[in-house]
Amino acid sequence: EAAVTQSPRNKVTVTGGNVTLSCRQTNSHNYMYWYRQDTGHGLRLIHYSYGAGNLQIGDVPDGYKATRTTQEDFFLLLELASPSQTSLYFCASSDAPGGRQNTLYFGAGTRLSVL
Amino acid sequence: TQTVSQSDAHVTVFEGDSVELRCNYSYGGSIYLSWYIQHHGRGLQFLLKYYSGNPVVQGVNGFEAEFSKSDSSFHLRKASVHWSDSAVYFCAVSADSNYQLIWGSGTKLIIKP
């Protein structure tokens, strides 16, 4: 079964703080995604990547950077965290573009609180 | 622009009851539709998907969904729910021309004993 591991599971930081969320997949998938989940909004795509060194902008990228260092590892960076970035963050992977009859595999999520 | 609507934020049923979770979308072209389940404290897991062919698709654990072009819907059903079905269910759509998934806001299914 596909495996996506996120760390940390919970993170608390202060406004202006620097945060890095990590994601590793062991599925040999090309595509990786970062989503945020907020009540009433479902999932919103922040950034995604289709391979090492590649980065694509999602629907809500402001305030976020991302980096795909290897096929397995995808990081989400919040360099100046703000309270509006308090959310539940999910990483996902897929073999091909999500939606084109392909299944997304999700990590367990990281709950981030920005005080 | 594609949109997805899950009109019920919460659905409550008794164990053993049937249930239907509603999903409506707006898009005129070819689309992909899928349902995912999220148990408390966990990531989303794939349930089933539809693109073409038989409008009724079967998923895991007795779930099925029916596509209706005329109603722009893709409702999820189960004939007899179990307590372990308690979770949040997400509908997602994407267009053939833009493979990014658009997600509904989710429906929380509550199972009473």
Side-chain angles (χ1 to χ4, degrees):
Chain A
E1 173 145 340
V4 180
T5 304
Q6 293 181 236
S7 62
R9 292 295 311 275
N10 294 279
K11 177 73 177 178
V12 180
T13 190
V14 295
T15 299
N18 193 321
V19 176
T20 298
L21 306 185
S22 302
C23 178
R24 167 165 283 198
Q25 56 101 357
T26 58
N27 315 317
S28 300
H29 285 167
N30 293 317
Y31 286 77
M32 295 185 74
Y33 312 83
W34 277 107
Y35 286 94
R36 60 177 290 172
Q37 183 182 34
D38 304 289
T39 303
H41 286 280
L43 291 167
R44 292 183 289 177
L45 182 65
I46 304 170
H47 290 298
Y48 65 102
S49 165
Y50 55 74
N54 176 265
L55 181 65
Q56 302 294 318
I57 294 173
D59 299 321
V60 290
D62 293 345
Y64 301 96
K65 292 184 179 179
T67 180
R68 180 90 175 267
T69 54
T70 65
Q71 187 183 34
E72 296 78 17
D73 298 302
F74 195 30
F75 300 92
L76 186 67
L77 294 80
L78 291 73
E79 294 182 333
L80 287 172
S82 72
S84 64
Q85 294 175 308
T86 293
S87 187
L88 181 58
Y89 291 87
F90 285 103
C91 176
S93 74
S94 70
D95 190 39
R100 266 214 187 135
Q101 303 193 66
N102 274 285
T103 300
L104 265 63
Y105 295 88
F106 284 83
T110 295
R111 186 166 294 281
L112 175 66
S113 296
V114 183
L115 305 178
Chain B
T1 302
Q2 312 138 52
T3 62
V4 183
S5 172
Q6 293 182 250
S7 54
D8 299 314
H10 301 90
V11 171
T12 302
V13 296
F14 287 96
E15 191 170 20
D17 283 353
S18 63
V19 70
E20 179 177 86
L21 306 181
R22 294 180 292 188
C23 174
N24 290 88
Y25 64 90
S26 64
Y27 185 71
S30 299
I31 59 170
Y32 303 88
L33 297 143
S34 52
W35 278 96
Y36 285 74
I37 180 174
Q38 183 183 30
H39 287 105
H40 180 69
R42 299 180 65 178
L44 283 73
Q45 290 179 286
F46 171 78
L47 269 182
L48 47 74
K49 63 187 173 187
Y50 171 83
Y51 175 61
S52 64
N54 189 335
V56 179
V57 291
Q58 304 295 324
V60 297
N61 295 333
F63 285 97
E64 67 174 31
E66 183 168 5
F67 168 70
S68 171
K69 187 172 182 178
S70 60
D71 293 338
S72 297
S73 68
F74 188 56
H75 301 330
L76 182 70
R77 301 188 296 240
K78 187 168 183 178
S80 177
V81 297
H82 186 262
W83 65 267
S84 60
D85 295 323
S86 296
V88 181
Y89 292 78
F90 290 93
C91 180
V93 303
S94 68
D96 197 21
S97 59
N98 174 1
Y99 55 78
Q100 288 306 327
L101 286 168
I102 307 298
W103 297 84
S105 55
T107 297
K108 185 173 185 177
L109 178 60
I110 300 165
I111 310 294
K112 288 186 173 181

